[in-house]
Amino acid sequence: MLTIDAVHLREINMPLAHPFETSFGVTTERRILLVEAESEGLTAWGECVAGEHPYFSEETVDTAWMIAESELVPRLLGKELVGGGSCPALFSQVRGHRMAKAALENAVWDLEAQQKQVSLAELLGGTRSVIACGVSLGIQPSKAALLEKVEEALAQGYQRIKLKCKPGWDTKIFEAVRGRWPDIQLSCDANSAYRVVDFDKIAEWDDFDLMMIEQPLWYDDFYFHSMLQKRLNTAICLDESIRNRRDALAAIDMESCRIINIKVGRVGGFSEAIAVHNAAAERGIPVWCGGMLETGIGRAHNIALSSLPNFSLPGDVSASARYWTEDIIEPEVVVSAKGEIDVPDGVGSGFTVRRDRIEKLTVRQQTMKVGARVTV
Ligand code: OSB
Ligand code: MG
């Protein structure tokens, strides 16, 4: 059993090493909500993957802070918990706000691992000692710039290249990359940029032998993805549409996708991520771990999750240096020449949080304890 004595909410601002452009816009600096949970002398961190704007999902840094402060943290404080798996029931009265819930739940899992003196990966049911890594390459100013990025990522060993795409940055780009590298594992991610009028064009992408086409249509859709999947040889992978295990079951049953991207924040925490993983595994649907431009805190949690057996495709969990000039954990996440990350076997997440650096990046913080609240 563990009791949460205090929770600290903190917003840090951190510039990205390189701007990241998707079909919904450019990100150059991240605002990130971090949570820190304390229990009987132990402390663990969680990262909220909500963005600055409600573009990827309805949540933002500000909504997550508000809901954590007013609804979620009060439900955690002072409660006797078995562990991370106790959180969904405590939070269930609050609808949605999955990214806010995940940040807190994941910190509790990390505390549980520390209390049990096991690695987080082991606690989650992980079986892999290394995970396979891919990269997600944003939309670039030119085709030449993109080819350079692909070349660089392949030289670093990454096993799969995912190209962000949108109307006007799609067929020509796939042609150029596939033309130059006929044998690499290549995929694309549209972040919902296409509509039914685009079906004929998307069907032509079968020529490029993509591993998958990620979330081509609406962020909340299964039906039209199912219509599109019938017309394609290429697998559709759903990201935004999958909010929980039931969504995964519906999407698999309707054949809206043949692959699922699991983001622990998008589904509300490790408990639901494991449930999606298991549901997909039982139905022969491979999964991979998506990324949300996380700092080392969220990245460490993604590594632990990716060690589960059905994470059989390379994920978007890449080296710290791709995102940050200096990460907030030690050691930084590194990718081997084979395109793999070692799953730490130390207690907890296996990384140390660099509190000194976090202090410098903090723009607001708040401590909540049983019966007390302090804003700094
Ligand atoms: O759709 O996978 C996505 C980043 C921000 C929001 C959505 C997505 C992404 C990425 C980047 O693709 C993944 C990463 O490298 O962290
Ligand atoms: Mg995606």
Side-chain angles (χ1 to χ4, degrees), residues 126-169:
T127 54
R128 296 170 189 279
S129 57
V130 296
I131 64 166
C133 306
V135 283
S136 173
L137 296 179
I139 294 165
Q140 302 296 320
S142 68
K143 189 158 68 177
L146 178 69
L147 293 175
E148 222 170 277
K149 292 274 182 194
V150 175
E151 189 163 28
E152 188 182 283
L154 292 172
Q156 288 165 351
Y158 286 101
Q159 298 183 21
R160 181 226 60 194
I161 304 290
K162 161 170 138 184
L163 305 175
K164 288 292 191 179
C165 66
K166 64 176 183 182
W169 184 265

Side-chain angles (χ1 to χ4, degrees), residues 56 162 164 189 191 214-215 239-240 261 263 288 316:
F56 175 84
K162 161 170 138 184
K164 288 292 191 179
D189 183 1
N191 289 113
E214 187 177 339
Q215 198 73 38
D239 174 355
E240 284 91 325
N261 164 340
K263 289 179 178 164
W288 54 277
D316 279 349

Side-chain angles (χ1 to χ4, degrees), residues 352-367:
T352 307
V353 169
R354 284 194 54 188
R355 206 174 274 278
D356 57 327
R357 220 169 123 53
I358 291 177
E359 288 294 346
K360 287 195 191 120
L361 299 166
T362 298
V363 296
R364 57 170 163 161
Q365 58 179 307
Q366 172 162 323
T367 293

Side-chain angles (χ1 to χ4, degrees), residues 256-275:
S256 306
C257 65
R258 297 186 196 141
I259 297 174
I260 292 175
N261 164 340
I262 298 182
K263 289 179 178 164
V264 61
R266 196 195 64 226
V267 301
F270 282 135
S271 299
E272 198 66 26
I274 294 167

